[in-house]
Amino acid sequence: MKLELSRVVQGGYRLGVLREIGRAATSSLEVPGCLLYTRCGTVPHLTQDTLHTLSPLPSVTQLTLSTVAEHQEVLEEYKDGFKKFAGLHDTVLYCSLHDPLTPRPAGHVTNKTVSVWGSGGRIELTVGRFMALQKALRPDLYQSMADGETWQGDAASRKRLRKSVDRTLAHLDECLLIHQQTAELQGAEVLGVVEGGDSLEERLRSARETAKRPVGGFCLDGFQTGSMDGPLRTQLISAVAGELPEDKPRLLQGVGRPDEVVACVEAGVDLFESFFPFQVTERGCALTFDLDLSLDPERAVLELGEELDETLQPERGRDAELEDGAETMTPFEMNLKDTKYRGDFRPLVEGCGCYCCTNHQRAYLHHLLVTKELLAGVLLMLHNTAQYTAFFRALRAALANDQLELFKTRVLRIKRVV
């Protein structure tokens, strides 16, 4: 796996291509970019055939141990790995420890074990069992076992943060030793995990020590949305990035909101999990980005004003509560459950080429949602996945053309501070 960077801003974003990914070393992924989020190898709401109406898709698919750990015996008996088992023949498989959208209680980590939560409850993993699962799954890339509980709840003590880093490094050393001795994992890459919570000292120590190990890249853990303020997150990520080798990718876990993604890209992150489209779909909402940066800015603002969800126009930069108050809708979404869409026969987003926008209108999606039809999730997930991957393409183009400030102003509605 080789990261070829075409542009690097000192202390900031990186633009390039991650080449020779996977055991066959034939796949590539442009950075900054995202993985394809799945649950047990399947994108929520979509079959493989339905998913592949979208193109292009991320070349790396994310699988989480929490969704497959309870099926270890079946996979070990199958013997040919998860990709063949699930029919994922044309993708690179990356295995992470936890599902970013599945809540997990804290307090279940020891010096020797971590826990994941499947449909049957808690599953305790030693390094031996963790590596036995990787042997059965045969991923192309996988995250090392790590103590990543320090981001949950109240701020952890410095002693707890030191322990987190020490445990994670010890787990990494054990994983690498077993990895080197396991024939089924030859050709796979291990991503070392950088922990340390909100402590700059521990973050830097974790980054330096992890970089000394023979890892293929790095997972930045503990920065999940809601775990710390945005400015502190970007400050810590920037500091950590300065300690990591330039030629290896950095994957950030638990961050998917577009505005947070851009801030983290500016701090030096390369790859993100793509769970955000599923969150938006579950809210009954559709992503609505204005990704055409070629228009004159004043004209674009006028045209966009006609398309924006009116409920978000007054406070485009702030989150909006949904009707039931249960979840928060970001400024990049339209709430299709709103009755004003009952007679709106426009596509979700003008110019979007996904199956949903090509064949259906807002009014139809509104009808499917209020009648609780399963097709609503299918169509919304198709659209939201298409919009999210298009967001990353537009971000890369903006970086390549020195249009990042315009991108933030037009796409994210972030006003430039003078």
Side-chain angles (χ1 to χ4, degrees):
M1 186 166 65
K2 300 178 181 178
L3 180 58
E4 298 178 0
L5 296 173
S6 58
R7 191 166 198 177
V8 179
V9 172
Q10 186 67 30
Y13 68 80
R14 292 138 56 91
L15 183 68
V17 181
L18 188 59
R19 300 191 186 278
E20 299 180 16
I21 317 173
R23 295 168 188 262
T26 56
S27 297
S28 62
L29 181 64
E30 292 183 278
V31 299
C34 64
L35 313 179
L36 185 66
Y37 172 74
T38 73
R39 288 189 165 178
C40 207
T42 301
V43 175
H45 296 295
L46 304 181
T47 64
Q48 285 295 313
D49 288 343
T50 305
L51 173 66
H52 283 89
T53 63
L54 299 176
S55 181
L57 286 169
S59 59
V60 180
T61 296
Q62 180 181 3
L63 175 71
T64 54
L65 278 189
S66 57
T67 61
V68 295
E70 55 197 343
H71 307 299
Q72 181 176 354
E73 293 182 3
V74 174
L75 291 165
E76 288 177 338
E77 185 175 345
Y78 182 69
K79 298 185 185 308
D80 287 328
F82 188 82
K83 278 206 292 188
K84 187 174 180 181
F85 182 82
L88 303 174
H89 304 292
D90 56 349
T91 189
V92 172
L93 189 66
Y94 164 68
C95 185
S96 61
L97 189 60
H98 301 289
D99 187 316
L101 294 182
T102 300
R104 56 185 191 274
H108 296 280
V109 173
T110 70
N111 287 335
K112 299 294 183 182
T113 67
V114 299
S115 294
V116 296
W117 274 260
S119 59
R122 184 167 75 96
I123 303 167
E124 193 171 43
L125 301 176
T126 61
V127 170
R129 185 174 181 187
F130 173 86
M131 292 303 294
L133 273 163
Q134 302 299 344
K135 177 181 176 180
L137 292 169
R138 300 189 190 183
D140 298 286
L141 319 164
Y142 65 94
Q143 167 198 344
S144 175
M145 199 169 93
D147 173 6
E149 286 193 351
T150 55
W151 70 274
Q152 301 186 59
D154 297 331
S157 68
R158 292 298 174 262
K159 181 179 178 181
R160 178 67 182 89
L161 295 179
R162 284 196 302 273
K163 186 178 289 186
S164 168
V165 173
D166 291 340
R167 285 174 173 171
T168 299
L169 290 170
H171 293 332
L172 175 58
D173 289 336
E174 291 185 69
C175 288
L176 288 171
L177 181 61
I178 298 173
H179 176 91
Q180 293 165 1
Q181 299 170 349
T182 306
E184 290 83 355
L185 293 174
Q186 297 308 302
E189 298 276 5
V190 180
L191 302 190
V193 183
V194 177
E195 298 287 358
D198 60 358
S199 168
L200 177 60
E201 178 184 357
E202 291 303 318
R203 282 286 176 186
L204 294 178
R205 182 169 74 92
S206 180
R208 290 173 188 143
E209 291 299 320
T210 305
K212 294 177 183 178
R213 274 69 172 176
V215 296
F218 304 91
C219 281
L220 309 185
D221 190 29
F223 295 108
Q224 285 85 339
T225 296
S227 65
M228 62 179 67
D229 292 336
L232 176 59
R233 177 200 289 132
T234 53
Q235 176 188 352
L236 291 173
I237 290 175
S238 294
V240 165
E243 300 296 328
L244 299 178
E246 193 174 88
D247 61 346
K248 293 183 180 180
R250 305 140 184 188
L251 167 65
L252 182 62
Q253 300 187 137
V255 173
R257 277 185 55 140
D259 48 352
E260 295 179 339
V261 164
V262 172
C264 293
V265 164
E266 289 187 277
V269 174
D270 301 314
L271 297 171
F272 298 82
E273 300 169 315
S274 62
F275 55 86
F276 186 68
F278 179 52
Q279 285 184 309
V280 175
T281 298
E282 292 299 280
R283 289 195 279 268
C285 296
L287 287 172
T288 57
F289 293 117
D290 171 36
L291 299 174
D292 186 0
L293 302 185
S294 64
L295 294 176
D296 174 75
E298 293 185 4
R299 176 187 168 196
V301 169
L302 292 173
E303 292 185 0
L304 185 61
E306 300 175 359
E307 297 295 326
L308 291 178
D309 186 343
E310 293 175 2
T311 62
L312 295 181
Q313 283 190 50
E315 293 287 341
R316 184 64 179 173
R318 299 179 58 186
D319 295 347
E321 295 294 326
L322 297 182
E323 292 177 1
D324 58 7
E327 294 191 64
T328 301
M329 182 173 66
T330 64
F332 318 105
E333 308 167 39
M334 63 170 68
N335 178 14
L336 288 162
K337 294 179 182 178
D338 195 309
T339 54
K340 68 181 180 180
Y341 294 113
R342 186 183 300 164
D344 191 336
F345 296 101
R346 293 174 293 173
L348 299 184
V349 174
E350 295 287 351
C352 177
C354 76
Y355 177 86
C356 179
C357 288
T358 303
N359 293 278
H360 301 293
Q361 300 82 34
R362 298 175 183 182
Y364 183 56
L365 268 294
H366 170 79
H367 162 72
L368 294 176
L369 286 165
V370 297
T371 56
K372 303 186 186 303
E373 292 284 349
L374 295 179
L375 182 57
V378 176
L379 294 177
L380 279 177
M381 194 65 187
L382 280 172
H383 170 78
N384 290 332
T385 300
Q387 282 281 292
Y388 199 62
T389 55
F391 164 80
F392 276 94
R393 288 196 300 274
L395 173 58
R396 290 191 296 270
L399 295 177
N401 297 316
D402 290 319
Q403 292 182 312
L404 182 58
E405 290 303 322
L406 176 60
F407 183 90
K408 291 194 290 185
T409 302
R410 288 278 307 282
V411 179
L412 303 181
R413 301 290 170 270
I414 298 174
K415 292 185 179 180
R416 188 172 183 177
V417 179
V418 180

